[in-house]
């Protein structure tokens, strides 16, 4: 148990990676410029070769398990260090979406985020206790310690894999829902009532959930995407027809001429009349 006021020392372990498994309280630890929290139900890896330190003293009693494990091998009188392989964003995306690719990686290693929550604290606590028992024996072969630690890492990896599968399923569900929204939207652009609630009612889902899914997949809120698509449709009408402004506004789903002008200028930086005039001039010069 670490008392209030304790803070992690500033250091860099060249040949050891550290696994921290939270038990009680919380603390902030910086690793190579990134700040992570160690707390109950959370685990953190401090890779070999990284500089890590405590961010500030803890204000409450703190307790966690920590285990050092070597990642170096002496071959032909030469010390060879093997640092954890950091997956690129492209590899991470593939891990989520491609089970075969993930299985290939798992043949030779364990996939763990640097900081993550584990779902079965009692099981993890028991495995941590087994690792400590092997370490406390001291005189026995270090292989017993590393075997126990490997069981702990494998279980943490298995729990993370369950999260991968769950996230992939959620992503698939979200993608399917957003695809339906996009299809509906193209037929409802002229409907001034088109909104998150409008589509949620049609698809029989919660509007907050629908909004979150859309933003996660498309990186913009539903209302912003609708506005953009309406302006894009209006630009096409202004270039290709002689309809007056009220007709264009109505056919593109704007509730009023004023709303049409405000939203159009916000997206294009021009009034609809200026856009039409400039488009016509470009068209003449392009002939």
């Amino acid at each position: 148990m670490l008392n209030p006021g304790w803070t992690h020392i500033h250091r860099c372990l060249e040949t050891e990676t550290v696994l921290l498994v939270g038990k009680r309280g919380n603390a902030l630890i910086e690793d190579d410029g990134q700040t992570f929290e160690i707390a109950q139900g959370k685990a953190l890896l401090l890779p070999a070769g990284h500089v890590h330190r405590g961010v500030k003293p803890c204000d409450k009693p703190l307790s966690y398990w920590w285990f050092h494990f070597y990642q170096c091998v002496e071959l032909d009188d030469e010390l060879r260090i093997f640092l954890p392989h950091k997956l690129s964003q492209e590899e991470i995306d593939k891990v989520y979406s491609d089970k075969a690719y993930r299985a290939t990686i798992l043949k030779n290693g364990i996939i763990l985020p640097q900081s993550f929550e584990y779902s079965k604290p009692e099981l993890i606590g028991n495995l941590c206790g087994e690792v400590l028992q092997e370490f406390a024996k001291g005189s026995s072969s270090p292989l017993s310690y590393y075997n126990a630690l490997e069981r702990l890492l494998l279980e943490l990896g298995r729990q993370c894999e369950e999260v991968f599968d769950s996230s992939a399923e959620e992503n698939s569900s979200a993608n399917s829902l957003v695809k339906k929204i996009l299809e509906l939207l193209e037929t409802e652009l002229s409907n001034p009532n088109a909104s998150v609630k409008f589509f949620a009612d049609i698809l029989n889902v919660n509007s907050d959930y629908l909004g979150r899914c859309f933003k996660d997949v498309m990186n913009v809120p539903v209302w912003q995407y609708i506005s953009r698509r309406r302006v894009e449709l209006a630009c096409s009408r202004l270039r290709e027809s002689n309809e007056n402004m009220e007709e264009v506004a109505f056919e593109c789903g704007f509730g009023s001429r004023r709303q049409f002008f405000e939203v159009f200028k916000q997206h294009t930086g021009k009034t609809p009349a200026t856009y039409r005039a400039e488009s016509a001039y470009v068209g003449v010069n392009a002939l």
Side-chain angles (χ1 to χ4, degrees):
M1 177 68 69
L2 300 167
N3 294 320
W6 176 89
T7 185
H8 198 287
I9 63 174
H10 185 288
R11 67 179 176 181
C12 175
L13 301 175
E14 294 292 344
T15 59
E16 298 176 55
T17 288
V18 184
L19 170 67
L20 307 182
V21 181
K23 293 175 63 179
R24 179 183 175 186
N26 69 295
L28 297 178
I29 296 179
E30 182 183 284
D31 178 80
D32 264 18
Q34 284 187 283
T35 300
F36 300 96
E37 181 187 43
I38 180 67
Q40 183 178 11
K42 285 187 174 182
L44 172 65
L45 285 169
L46 302 174
H50 283 207
V51 176
H52 56 265
R53 67 178 184 87
V55 174
K56 63 179 181 179
C58 60
D59 55 5
K60 295 180 180 180
L62 173 67
S63 179
Y64 60 83
W65 289 282
W66 76 91
F67 307 105
H68 291 221
F69 52 102
Y70 297 94
Q71 296 188 288
C72 58
V73 178
E74 189 170 340
L75 299 173
D76 301 325
D77 296 324
E78 179 183 354
L79 189 65
R80 300 186 183 181
I81 300 173
F82 297 90
L83 298 179
H85 171 61
K86 184 177 180 180
L87 297 179
S88 66
Q89 187 57 53
E90 182 180 354
E91 290 174 308
I92 293 172
D93 293 340
K94 199 169 182 180
V95 163
Y96 272 97
S97 62
D98 189 336
K99 287 188 176 181
Y101 176 75
R102 189 192 318 161
T104 300
I105 294 180
L106 290 173
K107 284 182 180 179
N108 300 308
I110 302 169
I111 301 174
L112 287 173
Q114 184 172 2
S115 176
F116 55 95
E117 296 183 6
Y118 50 89
S119 58
K120 298 178 180 177
E122 185 174 348
L123 174 57
I124 295 302
N126 290 338
L127 289 172
C128 287
E130 292 176 11
V131 180
L132 287 177
Q133 285 179 357
E134 294 300 332
F135 178 79
K137 291 178 181 178
S139 60
S140 62
S141 169
L143 285 177
S144 298
Y145 168 76
Y146 283 111
N147 285 339
L149 181 57
E150 186 177 82
R151 289 195 296 274
L152 170 61
L153 290 169
L154 285 168
E155 177 57 32
L156 289 170
R158 188 188 67 77
Q159 293 189 26
C160 285
E161 189 174 359
E162 290 178 353
V163 174
F164 284 148
D165 290 333
S166 175
S167 296
E169 185 177 338
E170 289 179 6
N171 287 340
S172 176
S173 175
N175 285 331
S176 177
L177 180 61
V178 171
K179 183 179 179 181
K180 292 177 181 178
I181 298 170
L182 294 175
E183 291 173 351
L184 283 169
L185 177 59
E186 292 307 308
T187 64
E188 297 290 343
L189 275 178
S190 62
N191 182 355
N193 296 318
S195 64
V196 173
K197 187 178 185 309
F198 176 82
F199 294 119
D201 289 343
I202 292 177
L203 297 172
N204 195 29
V205 297
N206 179 272
S207 58
D208 289 338
Y209 171 73
L210 184 149
R212 287 196 303 271
C213 287
F214 192 93
K215 188 171 183 179
D216 287 343
V217 174
M218 300 297 293
N219 296 318
V220 294
V222 176
W223 67 265
Q224 190 172 333
Y225 183 85
I226 292 174
S227 292
R228 189 178 74 195
R229 285 293 298 120
R230 283 175 171 163
V231 169
E232 290 171 351
L233 178 60
C235 286
S236 176
R237 294 294 177 93
L238 291 169
R239 288 194 311 268
E240 300 170 8
S241 77
N242 293 318
E243 295 171 329
N244 62 43
M245 296 302 171
E246 286 78 6
E247 290 173 326
V248 173
F250 176 78
E251 292 178 1
C252 296
F254 294 98
S256 66
R257 177 190 174 103
R258 180 178 179 179
Q259 183 193 31
F260 172 44
F261 273 60
E262 289 177 351
V263 175
F264 191 93
K265 189 169 184 179
Q266 181 183 359
H267 280 267
T268 67
K270 304 173 183 177
T271 65
T274 300
Y275 180 87
R276 169 173 273 174
E278 291 181 355
S279 298
Y281 178 78
V282 170
V284 169
N285 282 275
L287 293 176

